[in-house]
Amino acid sequence: MIIEEAATRDTAVLKRMAALAAVAEVVDGMIVGLGTGTTAAFAIDALGERAKAGLRITTVATSLETARAAEAAGLTVMAFDTLDHVDIGIDGADELDHRLRSIKGGGGALLREKIVATAAGRMIAIVDDSKLVGRLGAHALPVEVLPFAAGFVTRRIEALGASVVRRMGGGEPYGTDQQNAVLDCDFGLIEDPEPLALALSVIPGLLGHGLFLDEFDIAYVAAAGGVQRLMRNKSGD
């Protein structure tokens, strides 16, 4: 289903179009999970405009950066540790395939993003069409790790066939909002992501990985021809 057309291939315009389409699904009284990154920022701005026009919602942020942006947009942000669910979540993705499986974590908030996504009654991906892939893995897979276990986890992931690099920031090892380490793991194109997700999940010290395989229910994909709404096939076909 094409929702609207774009007169440009400008990536920022396309991201905003996808965000606007997703934000249209938010209604009064909802608790909204907000993702992290450049695409999610457009959703935050759009929700802020709707809130100024009278929309009454509360939000949960997947990062300190997102919380600051949401508050600046006039949105109410509450701590997730007081909640066990959110009504709807909106977030971007680094890669997205036709089954709405994705790789996330380029912005470094993957563990909090996965928690909020799993808690969401409905989770929406917002992407431009450059993020659509036939097979996941062109983008390195981020993994969040307890710093104490970084070396051990690196070797366990290498044994699964990946080239692993510890993410850096400003010349120092990158730290998440929880001060965890992030490993960027290059597996190449991933033939079957489900077994890989399971193998990663059982490594002690590995806190979360960027394979989001069944979290997204809906995706809004913006291209020069318009915004397409995709839904995940629950059967996995």
Side-chain angles (χ1 to χ4, degrees), residues 59-163:
T59 68
V60 170
T62 54
S63 67
L64 299 177
E65 174 189 352
T66 292
R68 288 190 291 267
E71 289 168 349
L75 298 170
T76 300
V77 180
M78 63 189 306
F80 183 72
D81 60 9
T82 64
L83 302 171
D84 60 7
H85 81 285
V86 299
D87 297 301
I88 193 170
I90 302 173
D91 205 351
D94 300 316
E95 293 183 356
L96 186 76
D97 74 7
H98 72 285
R99 291 172 55 182
L100 304 195
R101 300 178 300 185
S102 70
I103 285 180
K104 288 183 48 56
L110 62 148
L111 180 56
R112 286 176 60 157
E113 287 175 335
K114 182 162 285 189
I115 292 168
V116 172
T118 303
R122 185 163 79 250
M123 190 67 197
I124 303 176
I126 47 175
V127 296
D128 68 89
D129 63 341
S130 71
K131 306 292 184 164
L132 285 181
V133 297
R135 187 182 301 174
L136 300 176
H139 190 283
L141 176 65
V143 169
E144 190 163 336
V145 179
L146 190 70
F148 172 80
F152 166 77
V153 173
T154 294
R155 281 155 186 77
R156 285 294 182 95
I157 296 175
E158 287 174 339
L160 294 175
S163 173

Side-chain angles (χ1 to χ4, degrees), residues 152-223:
F152 166 77
V153 173
T154 294
R155 281 155 186 77
R156 285 294 182 95
I157 296 175
E158 287 174 339
L160 294 175
S163 173
V164 182
V165 176
R166 185 164 181 173
R167 188 176 297 184
M168 304 294 286
E172 300 290 334
Y174 174 82
T176 68
D177 288 343
Q178 282 69 45
Q179 295 308 304
N180 295 319
V182 173
L183 307 178
D184 289 312
C185 309
D186 184 1
F187 285 93
L189 295 181
I190 301 170
E191 182 69 31
D192 195 355
E194 281 79 11
L196 176 59
L198 179 60
L200 292 170
S201 295
V202 300
I203 298 175
L206 193 156
L207 303 176
H209 56 75
L211 285 170
F212 283 55
L213 302 183
D214 57 13
E215 284 80 8
F216 285 117
D217 303 294
I218 299 165
Y220 284 102
V221 182

